[in-house]
Amino acid sequence: MLVDVKAPELSESVQSGSLLDWRKQPGDFVRRDEVLTDLETDKVILEVSAPVAGVLKEICLASGSEVKAGDVLARIEVAEAGYEDKPGDKPEDKPTEPVTAVEPPKSAPVAVAAPEPAPTPAPTPARQPEPAPLPVVQAAPVAAPCKPCVPERGERRVQMTRLRQRIAERLKEAQNTAAMLTTFNEINMQPVMELRTRYQERFQKEHGVKLGFMSFFTKAVCQALKVYPLVNASIDGRDVVYHDYYDIGMAVSSERGLVVPILRNADRMSFAEIEKQIADFGRRANSLELTLEEMEGGTFTLSNGGIFGSLLSTPILNPPQSGVLGLHKIQERPIAENGQVVIRPMMYVALSYDHRIIDGREAVSFLKAVKDALEDPARLLLEL
């Protein structure tokens, strides 16, 4: 009996996907739930597994084909009951009989007669040496001039992945639609760094995860969004949609490109829960295990280019969100403090916002609130 292998169900925001390379070929034995191929969508890569054990009889759609949910990708001939549980049933699992090497019979030794001694030749008179010829001096050949080595100027054309195409579309959409503007500030990170140093060992022992900077920024952003709700809003046609929840997107760089999983209700999460969730996002982004639901929605985004050494940048909006905060490298710089020049670990921060609904006053005040909370972390606990 033949069983169809169908494309998995997709989310409402994803209409189709592209098939990647097949891991099995017709005639290969496959086990139940064994991955046959991958389906790349605009956001994630989904695994397509075998629904039954058997022999792959037919591949209906080749690699690179565009498919929709429910499309038949391949057909499997179902194996007999219990076939997949018997490793000896597979042809490649059958034991082979050991082959014993047969030593060829040794031949009897053959006596070899000793050779007779050769006769001694008669001595010949010595010849007089002839005078050596005079050396002939020849001109050295002139080497041909070397041609300069010109490196090859090759080029390659590689098709963009669906994720990269989607990223390009959304970023261009943001530029064409939103009235983007960026405001900057700098934060003295010494109070946060001292707090991390003081409690890092105890925090890690208690919660099993390191205390990073992103949990502090997430808490500070959620607190500022409650004071300036327009930064947490979005535009839908002629309406401004205010969100009374705080779903913070975390821009994560993976081998496939940039993905933005969402921290749902981030304002209700503890520092440890935020750090654990961010670490989990980073791990699963590289192993292609993020789900579509984890990357849908979001009311505000954090983007940390500082991990790559960026000192300053202007982040771009993630539509339909109206704000994104860019974090950058912490660098010691001289600043004026109480009339004295001191060295402090400073970070530039950049807030890009949609000027259609957010005025400069709200944007600057929001960023100033984030700065004040991080320079006095006690405010995050007291919600001041």
Side-chain angles (χ1 to χ4, degrees):
M1 181 179 68
L2 294 179
V3 174
D4 293 337
V5 179
K6 297 183 179 181
E9 293 295 327
L10 306 176
S11 66
E12 297 180 358
S13 61
V14 178
Q15 302 299 325
S16 62
S18 297
L19 275 183
L20 301 182
D21 294 336
W22 284 91
R23 305 186 187 183
K24 295 288 185 178
Q25 298 301 322
D28 292 346
F29 179 85
V30 297
R31 295 188 177 275
R32 183 186 179 92
D33 296 329
E34 185 176 1
V35 179
L36 303 178
T37 184
D38 297 296
L39 180 63
E40 183 185 39
T41 69
D42 299 342
K43 298 181 178 180
V44 296
I45 292 182
L46 304 174
E47 293 182 343
V48 180
S49 303
V52 294
V55 178
L56 183 62
K57 299 297 291 184
E58 179 187 1
I59 292 179
C60 303
L61 294 176
S63 301
S65 302
E66 184 171 348
V67 299
K68 297 181 179 179
D71 287 354
V72 178
L73 309 180
R75 291 185 173 88
I76 297 176
E77 184 176 2
V78 181
E80 298 178 1
Y83 185 78
E84 64 274 18
D85 299 328
K86 300 177 181 180
D89 290 345
K90 293 177 59 178
E92 57 269 25
D93 292 338
K94 292 183 179 180
T96 57
E97 297 182 358
V99 179
T100 305
V102 179
E103 184 178 356
K106 298 181 180 179
S107 58
V110 179
V112 180
E116 298 181 357
T120 304
T124 56
R127 298 178 59 185
Q128 296 294 331
E130 298 180 359
L134 296 176
V136 179
V137 180
Q138 296 182 353
V142 179
C146 296
K147 296 182 179 180
C149 296
V150 180
E152 295 184 1
R153 290 164 49 83
E155 63 179 29
R156 295 177 297 128
R157 185 181 296 270
V158 180
Q159 184 178 4
M160 296 170 63
T161 63
R162 292 182 67 93
L163 176 61
R164 177 53 58 186
Q165 294 177 30
R166 184 57 175 164
I167 291 174
E169 291 173 2
R170 289 182 62 82
L171 296 183
K172 192 59 182 173
E173 175 189 352
Q175 283 187 326
N176 295 339
T177 304
M180 281 194 298
L181 191 62
T182 305
T183 184
F184 304 92
N185 212 320
E186 61 179 354
I187 300 176
N188 179 5
M189 297 297 294
Q190 182 164 318
V192 173
M193 295 178 71
E194 290 177 348
L195 191 62
R196 289 178 68 242
T197 302
R198 187 185 312 163
Y199 295 106
Q200 181 68 267
E201 183 177 353
R202 183 175 176 182
F203 185 91
Q204 190 171 358
K205 183 178 180 181
E206 181 73 20
H207 301 289
V209 66
K210 289 184 177 181
L211 178 60
F213 292 107
M214 295 303 293
S215 54
F216 286 92
F217 275 97
T218 302
K219 284 290 189 180
V221 162
C222 290
Q223 186 170 299
L225 289 175
K226 294 179 180 180
V227 181
Y228 303 97
L230 268 176
V231 185
N232 197 49
S234 60
I235 294 180
D236 184 12
R238 295 186 177 183
D239 298 331
V240 176
V241 181
Y242 288 88
H243 306 290
D244 297 329
Y245 52 89
Y246 306 93
D247 292 350
I248 308 301
M250 295 290 170
V252 178
S253 178
S254 68
E255 296 179 358
R256 293 180 56 241
L258 184 68
V259 293
V260 187
I262 309 299
L263 283 175
R264 309 288 180 187
N265 299 315
D267 59 315
R268 304 177 188 175
M269 300 176 70
S270 66
F271 280 79
E273 290 172 337
I274 294 173
E275 293 294 348
K276 289 179 181 179
Q277 190 65 69
I278 292 175
D280 181 62
F281 283 157
R283 179 186 60 82
R284 292 192 292 124
N286 288 320
S287 59
L288 308 179
E289 297 176 0
L290 290 175
T291 63
L292 291 171
E293 291 74 16
E294 290 176 313
M295 292 188 288
E296 291 180 340
T299 60
F300 189 86
T301 295
L302 285 175
S303 177
N304 186 9
I307 60 176
F308 304 111
S310 174
L311 188 61
L312 191 62
S313 67
T314 55
I316 192 169
L317 291 175
N318 184 20
Q321 299 173 17
S322 299
V324 53
L325 181 63
L327 315 181
H328 301 93
K329 177 182 178 181
I330 299 176
Q331 189 176 57
E332 290 189 343
R333 293 197 299 272
I335 63 170
E337 190 174 278
N338 299 323
Q340 301 292 327
V341 177
V342 294
I343 304 298
R344 293 288 184 260
M346 305 298 294
M347 176 193 286
Y348 289 120
V349 288
L351 173 69
S352 292
Y353 59 97
D354 192 343
H355 210 353
R356 293 179 298 170
I357 62 172
I358 303 174
D359 292 331
R361 182 183 64 179
E362 283 78 13
V364 173
S365 300
F366 169 86
L367 193 55
K368 182 65 165 52
V370 173
K371 168 185 170 69
D372 292 341
L374 291 169
E375 292 184 342
D376 186 6
R379 295 188 178 195
L380 299 177
L381 300 177
L382 301 176
E383 297 184 356
L384 297 177

